[in-house]
Amino acid sequence: MQRTNFGHNQVLRPSAAYTPTNEEEVLEILDRHRGQQVRAVGRLHSWSEAAVTDSVLLDLRKLNHVHLHSDGDQLVATVGAGCQVKRLLKTLGRQNATLPSLGLITQQTIAGAISTGTHGSGGHSMSHYVVAVRLARYDASSGRAMIEEITAGEQLQAVRCSLGSLGIILAVTVRCRPQYNVQEHFSAHRQLSDVLAAEKSFPLQQFFLIPWRWSYFSQHRCEQPGPRSLLAGLYRVYWLLVMDLGMHLLVLFLVRLLQSRSAIRCAFRRVVPLFVIRNWKVTDRSSSMLVMKHEAFRHIEIELFVRRNRLAEALEYAQDVITVAGGRQSILSADNQRRIEKLGMHEALAGLHDKYCHHYPICVRRVRPDDTLISMANGEGEDWYAISFISYAKPAQRAGFFQFANFMAKSMARLFAARPHWGKVCPLDATELAALYPRFDRFRAVSTSLDPEGLFHNCWTATLLAPAEETS
């Protein structure tokens, strides 16, 4: 028995697998397997080791109820852990409601989305809006499975983004808001400063650094009180046919069939910009405007979070490394080369030379600080910016990407305190990851209090959450 994740880079080989239909069945399964490690999975749209297990696996897709109700002056939804975000949005939409934050795709389950810190652009991550979680775990005194409602304090901050390591999430109660419209349009920029200056007027914007052209396209977005545009339907067709399908089919042709680096570079300098219609202002529902069909073609991704005050130098550094990895130069610019030599990573950089040609726009999204313990955007202060590096190479041809991702994660963590997304390629070891989160020890403490025997870990989270002296 085995299952493979969306990216085909992780394989699950559980000793037993279940698809329970209700909470009582979950408790029965936990009692039946007392003493064994148990992990829950969503739709496996993650590239990290978060969902990997060789023990007991629970697929909670049948726990997919949605109940919308008021909690004082707040609109909240209680959602079964296995409910996909797209189903939740459809149900909320029938009642003229939606979520405050949306990721690019809606395939994930709600539990999987919050457990790895899924985010959109311009707001907090989805985890930030969670107000309660129903958690199945073992009672410390009786040893039997039980259900606990977590609603406050550090336990809530921990379970909002838990890596599945505190227990089995059965249901999530999340804040909602009335359905709203978003207006967007594209514009081109040469300078990052011009892109960031537009955030005041377009707080929901995301932007793309185009490799080999090294200019920016901004997807300016803001809430719009007016009605949907008359051409909103046509705009959706344009996005589906030209951006979601056309551009990606071009990338697949270049990377998997033609396999020509010069063609890739030429396409991004000359052809890809032609896909973008600039200054076409369209207003549509947020649940349509803020998402993409990014799951249409298999890919792999690493995403690194940096604070706003490090964004400019982080993007300049990324451009520098991509140029070396693509074989266009053998060393970095003088300042960056000195940095790498000081880190003792010059040999790793030399080994990366000419090993990987990046072939997808680098997406950058702003994420406001979260009220969690270890989501990538947790902590007070400046906003975070998530920088995504995506590859469409075939699973058997990803060695160059993994070498690039490993170098970027390790060097940017040390240079810019960059945090890799928990649900995407995450090459750092336990010590390196824990050092990036000031409240990681508090998360370890909550994990130990709720799951003292580590029965809801896998090998990755067990290593990550081991006491600091054991990982040093």
Side-chain angles (χ1 to χ4, degrees):
M1 176 192 305
Q2 74 175 41
R3 295 179 64 178
T4 306
N5 70 332
F6 166 79
H8 279 202
N9 68 306
Q10 303 289 353
V11 179
L12 289 66
R13 295 183 176 88
S15 58
Y18 300 92
T19 308
T21 59
N22 54 53
E23 294 182 349
E24 290 71 25
E25 285 189 31
V26 174
L27 296 181
E28 291 172 5
I29 294 166
L30 293 182
D31 284 331
R32 187 182 315 155
H33 291 277
R34 177 74 176 94
Q36 297 177 252
Q37 288 187 311
V38 183
R39 294 288 286 179
V41 297
R43 292 308 173 99
L44 294 177
H45 205 102
S46 171
W47 297 271
S48 76
E49 297 178 67
V52 174
T53 182
D54 59 3
S55 188
V56 180
L57 180 147
L58 297 184
D59 184 331
L60 303 179
R61 66 180 63 210
K62 293 184 179 179
L63 277 65
N64 62 359
H65 58 274
V66 179
H67 301 299
L68 186 66
H69 52 99
S70 297
D71 182 10
D73 59 353
Q74 288 188 344
L75 189 66
V76 298
T78 298
V79 189
C83 181
Q84 286 184 283
V85 173
K86 64 181 181 181
R87 182 176 187 275
L88 171 58
L89 290 174
K90 186 175 181 179
T91 303
L92 293 178
R94 288 197 289 263
Q95 301 183 62
N96 199 34
T98 191
L99 295 173
S101 179
L102 289 175
L104 279 181
I105 67 168
T106 58
Q107 298 296 109
Q108 310 109 307
T109 63
I110 187 67
I114 69 164
S115 292
T116 53
T118 294
H119 65 94
S121 184
H124 306 278
S125 73
M126 294 174 70
S127 300
H128 178 84
Y129 301 99
V130 173
V131 297
V133 172
R134 282 178 64 80
L135 192 72
R137 64 184 185 89
Y138 292 104
D139 181 82
S141 56
S142 69
R144 294 188 61 80
M146 57 168 281
I147 296 175
E148 180 176 8
E149 188 92 11
I150 296 179
T151 60
E154 282 193 338
Q155 287 189 348
L156 179 60
Q157 291 176 315
V159 80
R160 281 173 170 165
C161 179
S162 67
L163 312 181
S165 61
L166 306 183
I168 303 299
I169 295 175
L170 301 173
V172 173
T173 301
V174 60
R175 280 184 290 181
C176 301
R177 59 166 296 179
Q179 180 63 263
Y180 63 102
N181 288 340
V182 169
Q183 184 186 86
E184 79 169 30
H185 70 279
F186 273 93
S187 64
H189 303 275
R190 283 289 175 184
Q191 302 297 323
L192 176 64
S193 56
D194 294 332
V195 177
L196 296 180
E199 281 184 346
K200 186 174 182 180
S201 299
F202 305 103
L204 301 179
Q205 77 173 11
Q206 62 185 18
F207 60 93
F208 303 86
L209 174 59
I210 308 302
W212 313 115
R213 179 183 174 93
W214 304 122
S215 64
Y216 297 92
F217 277 104
S218 294
Q219 196 171 359
H220 297 307
R221 292 167 167 171
C222 62
E223 289 194 34
Q224 174 58 253
R228 295 179 68 214
S229 299
L230 293 176
L231 296 180
L234 180 61
Y235 190 68
R236 296 265 62 81
V237 172
Y238 154 72
W239 257 100
L240 176 64
L241 297 182
V242 177
M243 304 299 283
D244 290 334
L245 297 178
M247 188 189 75
H248 290 83
L249 288 171
L250 172 64
V251 169
L252 290 173
F253 171 75
L254 294 169
V255 174
R256 297 186 181 181
L257 296 178
L258 197 59
Q259 297 185 13
S260 166
R261 293 187 177 188
S262 59
I264 289 171
R265 290 191 288 266
C266 180
F268 277 95
R269 286 194 297 264
R270 306 291 185 188
V271 180
V272 169
L274 300 178
F275 285 73
V276 181
I277 300 177
R278 307 173 201 186
N279 299 314
W280 182 11
K281 295 183 179 181
V282 178
T283 300
D284 202 353
R285 288 183 297 269
S286 61
S287 54
S288 297
M289 198 66 88
L290 300 179
V291 301
M292 294 176 61
K293 292 289 185 183
H294 215 207
E295 73 282 2
F297 303 101
R298 184 169 291 112
H299 59 280
I300 196 163
E301 177 179 0
I302 183 170
E303 188 170 40
L304 301 170
F305 284 65
V306 299
R307 290 285 196 178
R308 182 188 176 97
N309 65 348
R310 311 304 301 272
L311 178 62
E313 56 182 333
L315 288 175
E316 290 174 1
Y317 175 77
Q319 176 179 336
D320 221 1
V321 174
I322 287 171
T323 306
V324 169
R328 303 298 284 175
Q329 61 190 42
S330 58
I331 61 173
L332 304 178
S333 63
D335 286 345
N336 284 329
Q337 189 68 31
R338 280 192 293 270
R339 286 171 158 177
I340 289 303
E341 290 175 356
K342 188 175 181 180
L343 292 178
M345 297 185 67
H346 51 286
E347 291 185 2
L349 176 67
L352 179 62
H353 173 63
D354 204 27
K355 292 296 195 307
Y356 172 70
C357 182
H358 193 66
H359 52 258
Y360 196 78
I362 299 160
C363 181
V364 184
R365 290 177 284 170
R366 180 171 65 101
V367 188
R368 297 175 63 190
D370 293 332
D371 185 17
T372 67
L373 295 185
I374 63 162
S375 69
M376 295 77 64
N378 88 297
E380 300 177 350
E382 287 192 311
D383 292 337
W384 292 85
Y385 286 76
I387 308 172
S388 294
F389 304 95
I390 297 173
S391 171
Y392 280 83
K394 294 179 181 179
Q397 299 174 344
R398 291 174 176 167
F401 171 79
F402 284 122
Q403 191 173 350
F404 167 77
N406 184 70
F407 182 84
M408 289 296 284
K410 290 183 178 294
S411 61
M412 287 185 63
R414 297 169 70 179
L415 292 173
F416 311 117
R419 299 170 172 178
H421 194 301
W422 292 116
K424 300 178 182 180
V425 174
C426 193
L428 302 187
D429 63 32
T431 301
E432 292 170 317
L433 286 166
L436 295 171
Y437 294 89
R439 302 183 71 185
F440 204 88
D441 283 343
R442 298 307 309 151
F443 184 79
R444 280 194 180 111
V446 174
S447 175
T448 300
S449 68
L450 295 178
D451 181 25
E453 297 182 51
L455 297 176
F456 298 105
H457 291 327
N458 60 12
C459 290
W460 184 57
T461 60
T463 301
L464 186 63
L465 296 172
E469 58 272 14
E470 294 182 21
T471 59
S472 60

